[in-house]
Amino acid sequence: SINAEYMGDTPSSRHRRKMGDAERGEKLFKARAGQCHSSEKGVNGTGPSLAGIVNRASGQVPGFAYSNANKNSGVIWDQETLVKYLENPKKFMPGTKMAFAGIKSMKDRKDIAAYMATI
């Protein structure tokens, strides 16, 4: 409706709220994942680079030694899957090498996934 659009409630703004705040997610990514993962293509650390992760098959970054669980999972990363994974990586993907307990906050997970879709 016109009133809803005037108030800033548009389909686009509702989609951004549903998918998360990428700007906030960047800060969370740096704080929670940055010590092990890079957002730069080809820069692996303790964990693989996460640049271009959305729409990529799990376990496919060149030069990173993935667990068999990750390489053979068949997962194609999208924002919804990342939100689920980030809650409890070891439960989502038994056998993963990722030593990370997870993030309980749904908002934080959505924001991080929104940011990851931009890198």
Side-chain angles (χ1 to χ4, degrees):
S1 76
I2 292 171
N3 192 34
E5 288 179 28
Y6 176 76
M7 299 302 293
D9 187 26
T10 64
S12 176
S13 68
R14 286 190 297 274
H15 182 261
R16 281 194 304 275
R17 281 194 304 273
K18 181 179 178 215
M19 297 312 292
D21 177 343
E23 191 174 313
R24 182 174 179 271
E26 180 177 11
K27 293 175 183 136
L28 289 166
F29 177 91
K30 288 177 179 176
R32 302 294 304 268
Q35 54 273 50
C36 295
H37 295 279
S38 170
S39 59
E40 295 179 49
K41 185 175 181 173
V43 180
N44 294 329
T46 303
S49 166
L50 297 177
I53 189 169
V54 171
N55 297 318
R56 184 174 71 211
S58 183
Q60 303 302 312
V61 171
F64 188 79
Y66 288 94
S67 65
N68 286 332
N70 204 305
K71 283 189 292 195
N72 302 323
S73 70
V75 169
I76 305 294
W77 297 111
D78 61 21
Q79 288 187 56
E80 280 186 41
T81 306
L82 286 165
V83 168
K84 290 176 192 169
Y85 179 79
L86 290 170
E87 182 178 19
N88 187 335
K90 290 188 182 294
K91 182 178 178 185
F92 181 94
M93 190 175 291
T96 185
K97 294 192 302 187
M98 189 159 118
F100 181 69
I103 300 170
K104 299 225 181 301
S105 167
M106 174 68 84
K107 178 170 178 27
D108 288 357
R109 294 193 321 265
K110 283 184 173 184
D111 291 349
I112 291 168
Y115 168 67
M116 291 172 76
T118 72
I119 59 175

